[in-house]
């Protein structure tokens, strides 16, 4: 008994069961009594050899990937991988036997773009425009190479990456704080072409150099907002860093820069760009209008009042209405101001500005109103052919099914403007008569509201549903194609 007691004194019983891990350490066997380190080690030693090997391999791969990602970000970020390409396979409409046709059409369009770029690269690279008849160039937009910038996103979409990289290599060396001496840069035109072109090219390619250049363009154009009201001046002298003072700005010039500056704010983290552009929307939202949601095209910069000009969804007014809808979409459908303003404008347009041809029951058009919103002009501009695409987008976004029906009717008219000409090209505008045989004379050049008695309609007008005015040129307008695609 005495020997047993002595042995117990020299080897006290552990207060809890343990599991030996090595010669120097033991861990309590009961999980509730273990530390985190102990639990991990217990789990490890309970694994068989294959499980340990598999776990070690997985951890090694994860660790290596993390280390590689850190090294890439430090020494060669993804934003500088110029040849990084993401290809989305096209959907082929095999069931309707158009798969081959669709591919042939895509290839034909791509070949046309490659041909166009080749001519520009050979005869006008780095200049604003190519003159295709003489194979010369001009710098009528200040020498920034506007054609090149505006083409970057198209080149990328069409997977013409070599041509895209040619353009980027040139753009990164352009100093956008300078322009042709004596030239004043059109604010709106350079926002929608240069700023938008660079932002889009950046978002597609993730080349940070393009974002740097986009911010430079945004900055050199910002002096346009240096007015007492916040409405922008139409032109900027970028060489001097100041705006060109004038008393009025047209609706489209003031109200079609918001998306680009908003995007620039989001990408740079600088809210000043969006705030400046948003102020324009707030001013025009609050200003007095001759009819709810309809805006004459000329705005007094100092007061924000609508001063003169016609109400139109064509030249100098068009994109203002389009941007209301697109800003609402860009806001994630959370900024109700844009939705309300868009719907007010579209509802009033449908009430006051939509008419139907006297000779074709399917042919609807959007005419213009005078400053008072009381006189109607039966002139349908090619520029207005963006409206059906806008209506279709708005109908789906805002659940307005009637707008989609009107979109189809207007698209039919825009299509017939091409389909019924000998060349297959659409004119700059077409004219319609009312039920009393009144309308604009084809020779009218100055007053879109000088409505007169018209001679009896000839067979051509009756067949087409409209008649042509004095300006029958075609200016490579994209509006009809945009609406048809949507």
């Amino acid at each position: 008994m005495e020997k047993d007691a002595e042995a117990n004194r020299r080897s006290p019983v552990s207060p809890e069961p343990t599991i030996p891990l090595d010669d120097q350490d033991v861990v309590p066997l009961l999980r509730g009594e273990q530390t985190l380190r102990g639990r991990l080690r217990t789990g490890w030693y309970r694994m068989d050899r294959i499980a340990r090997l598999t776990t070690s391999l997985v951890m090694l791969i994860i660790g290596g990937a993390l280390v590689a990602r850190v090294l890439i970000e430090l020494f060669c970020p993804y934003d500088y991988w110029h040849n990084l390409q993401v290809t989305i396979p096209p959907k082929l409409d095999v069931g309707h036997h158009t798969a081959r046709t669709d591919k042939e059409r895509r290839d034909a369009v791509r070949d046309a773009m490659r041909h166009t770029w080749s001519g520009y690269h050979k005869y006008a690279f780095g200049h604003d425009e190519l003159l295709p008849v003489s194979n010369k160039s001009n710098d009528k937009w200040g020498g920034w190479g506007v054609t090149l910038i505006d083409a970057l996103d198209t080149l990328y979409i069409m997977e013409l990456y070599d041509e895209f990289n040619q353009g980027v290599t040139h753009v990164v060396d352009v100093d956008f704080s300078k322009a042709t001496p004596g030239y004043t840069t059109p604010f709106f035109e350079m926002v929608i072409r240069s700023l938008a072109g660079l932002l889009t090219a950046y978002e597609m390619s993730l080349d940070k150099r393009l974002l740097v250049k986009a911010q430079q363009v945004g900055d050199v154009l910002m002096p346009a907002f240096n007015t007492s009201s916040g409405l922008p001046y139409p032109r900027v002298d970028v060489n001097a860093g100041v705006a060109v003072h004038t008393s009025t700005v047209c609706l489209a010039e003031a109200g079609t820069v918001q998306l680009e500056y908003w995007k620039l704010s989001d990408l740079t983290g600088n809210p000043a760009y969006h705030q400046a552009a948003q102020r324009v929307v707030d001013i025009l939202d609050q200003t007095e209008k001759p009819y709810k949601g309809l805006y004459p095209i000329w705005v007094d910069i100092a007061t924000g009042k609508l001063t003169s000009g016609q109400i139109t969804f064509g030249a100098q007014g068009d994109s203002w209405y389009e941007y209301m809808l697109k800003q609402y979409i860009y806001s994630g459908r959370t900024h109700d101001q844009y939705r309300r303003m868009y719907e007010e404008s579209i509802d009033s347009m449908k009430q006051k500005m939509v008419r139907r041809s006297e000779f074709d029951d399917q042919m609807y058009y959007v005419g213009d109103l005078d400053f008072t919103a009381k006189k109607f002009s039966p002139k349908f501009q090619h520029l207005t052919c963006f409206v059906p695409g806008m209506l279709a987008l708005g109908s789906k976004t805002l659940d307005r099914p009637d707008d989609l029906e009107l979109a189809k009717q207007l698209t039919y008219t825009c299509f017939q403007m091409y389909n019924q000409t000998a060349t297959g090209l659409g004119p700059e505008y077409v004219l319609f008569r009312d039920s009393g045989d009144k309308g604009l004379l084809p020779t009218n050049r100055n007053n879109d509201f000088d409505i007169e008695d018209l001679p009896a309609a000839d067979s051509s007008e009756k067949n087409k549903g409209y008649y042509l005015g004095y300006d029958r040129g075609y200016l490579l307008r994209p509006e009809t194609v945009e609406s048809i695609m949507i």
Side-chain angles (χ1 to χ4, degrees):
M1 293 290 295
E2 292 180 1
K3 289 182 179 180
D4 292 340
E6 181 66 22
N8 288 337
R9 282 193 297 271
R10 285 184 296 197
S11 302
V13 177
S14 173
E16 59 195 44
T18 63
I19 180 172
L21 298 182
D22 51 41
D23 293 341
Q24 289 81 30
D25 197 8
V26 295
V27 172
L29 185 60
L30 297 178
R31 187 172 178 82
E33 303 296 332
Q34 294 178 8
T35 63
L36 176 61
R37 178 172 175 267
R39 292 180 187 181
L40 292 174
R41 299 184 70 183
T42 299
W44 176 260
Y45 280 99
R46 282 177 175 172
M47 293 181 184
D48 58 30
R49 183 167 300 176
I50 295 177
R52 292 183 189 180
L53 182 61
T54 302
T55 303
S56 299
L57 183 60
V58 170
M59 293 177 66
L60 182 63
I61 292 172
I62 293 174
L66 291 174
V67 171
R69 182 67 183 91
V70 171
L71 293 175
I72 288 173
E73 191 60 34
L74 288 175
F75 299 106
C76 187
Y78 287 126
D79 292 348
Y80 289 90
W81 290 24
H82 308 311
N83 293 317
L84 186 65
Q85 302 170 7
V86 178
T87 301
I88 300 175
K91 295 181 179 179
L92 301 180
D93 191 4
V94 179
H96 291 83
H97 309 291
T98 62
R100 181 180 179 187
T101 301
D102 288 348
K103 184 178 186 305
E104 288 174 349
R105 288 173 175 171
R106 281 191 295 271
D107 289 344
V109 173
R110 191 168 182 260
D111 288 343
M113 182 63 186
R114 185 183 285 111
H115 168 77
T116 302
W117 178 263
S118 176
Y120 173 77
H121 187 268
K122 182 175 181 180
Y123 297 109
F125 189 75
H127 294 281
D128 286 334
E129 292 181 344
L130 166 67
L131 305 178
V133 175
S134 63
N135 285 332
K136 295 182 179 180
S137 63
N138 70 40
D139 287 319
K140 64 179 292 185
W141 299 97
W144 285 358
V146 175
T147 292
L148 185 154
I149 297 170
D150 214 2
L152 288 176
D153 55 351
T154 303
L155 292 170
Y156 202 91
I157 289 170
M158 293 186 177
E159 300 178 3
L160 299 174
Y161 299 116
D162 290 340
E163 292 84 349
F164 174 82
N165 288 327
Q166 289 172 353
V168 171
T169 300
H170 173 79
V171 165
V172 297
D173 289 330
V174 175
D175 183 356
F176 290 103
S177 67
K178 298 178 182 178
T180 303
Y183 179 77
T184 58
T185 300
F187 173 62
F188 153 73
E189 297 286 355
M190 288 302 101
V191 168
I192 66 169
R193 300 176 196 279
S194 296
L195 179 55
L198 290 166
L199 288 172
T200 308
Y202 163 69
E203 289 213 295
M204 288 183 173
S205 67
L206 298 180
D207 188 329
K208 281 189 176 179
R209 297 175 300 172
L210 294 172
L211 179 57
V212 171
K213 288 300 176 179
Q215 187 168 13
Q216 185 183 25
V217 172
D219 287 339
V220 300
L221 297 177
M222 280 293 284
F225 291 111
N226 293 337
T227 64
S228 58
S229 67
L231 291 170
Y233 289 119
R235 304 188 77 90
V236 176
D237 184 342
V238 298
N239 293 317
V242 297
V244 179
H245 289 214
T246 187
S247 60
T248 58
V249 62
C250 85
L251 183 65
E253 288 178 323
T256 314
V257 299
Q258 284 69 29
L259 283 172
E260 290 81 359
Y261 271 113
W262 194 349
K263 172 57 72 173
L264 186 60
S265 282
D266 285 349
L267 292 175
T268 63
N270 184 352
Y273 304 118
H274 175 50
Q275 291 168 356
Q278 175 61 32
R279 189 177 180 186
V280 175
V281 177
D282 295 336
I283 292 171
L284 294 176
D285 185 17
Q286 297 165 10
T287 195
E288 184 179 358
K289 306 164 190 68
Y291 198 85
K292 186 176 182 179
L294 298 180
Y295 302 73
I297 58 174
W298 290 109
V299 188
D300 186 290
I301 293 175
T303 66
K305 292 182 178 180
L306 302 169
T307 60
S308 61
Q310 61 193 27
I311 297 167
T312 180
F313 280 72
Q316 299 181 306
D318 46 8
S319 45
W320 158 253
Y321 300 100
E322 175 189 3
Y323 266 43
M324 289 301 102
L325 173 61
K326 291 184 176 179
Q327 286 180 91
Y328 177 68
I329 295 172
Y330 185 75
S331 75
R333 308 185 187 189
T334 61
H335 201 311
D336 200 61
Q337 177 191 27
Y338 306 135
R339 179 205 58 78
R340 171 182 54 78
M341 294 175 69
Y342 171 78
E343 291 190 332
E344 288 175 355
S345 297
I346 298 307
D347 289 343
S348 294
M349 179 199 76
K350 292 164 70 174
Q351 293 170 15
K352 301 280 288 183
M353 303 174 72
V354 177
R355 298 285 192 278
R356 186 174 62 183
S357 168
E358 293 297 313
F359 304 109
D360 187 340
D361 289 343
Q362 300 180 66
M363 186 171 284
Y364 286 75
Y365 67 97
V366 180
D368 298 331
L369 296 173
D370 74 340
F371 176 77
T372 66
K374 295 179 181 178
K375 293 182 179 181
F376 179 79
S377 171
K379 179 178 182 179
F380 185 45
Q381 302 178 45
H382 191 296
L383 286 166
T384 310
C385 281
F386 87 93
V387 170
M390 175 183 68
L391 290 174
L393 182 61
S395 73
K396 297 299 183 182
T397 304
L398 303 170
D399 191 21
R400 293 169 58 98
D402 289 346
D403 288 358
L404 184 57
E405 293 308 308
L406 178 57
K408 294 176 183 178
Q409 294 162 340
L410 293 173
T411 301
Y412 168 80
T413 305
C414 295
F415 168 73
Q416 293 300 341
M417 289 168 62
Y418 284 76
N419 188 49
Q420 295 179 354
T421 64
T423 62
L425 301 177
E428 185 67 2
Y429 65 86
V430 295
L431 301 171
F432 294 84
R433 69 176 64 218
D434 64 20
S435 58
D437 285 330
K438 292 183 179 294
L440 293 170
L441 292 175
T443 56
N444 187 321
R445 291 173 174 262
N446 301 315
N447 189 344
D448 288 345
F449 301 94
D450 187 12
I451 306 300
E452 300 185 28
D453 292 326
L454 296 174
D458 58 20
S459 59
S460 174
E461 180 183 350
K462 290 179 180 179
N463 291 332
K464 293 178 178 178
Y466 58 81
Y467 60 100
L468 299 177
Y470 73 90
D471 188 350
R472 304 182 183 189
Y474 173 66
L475 302 179
L476 300 179
R477 299 290 191 192
E479 293 79 19
T480 296
V481 174
E482 291 173 357
S483 290
I484 289 174
M485 291 298 290
I486 293 175

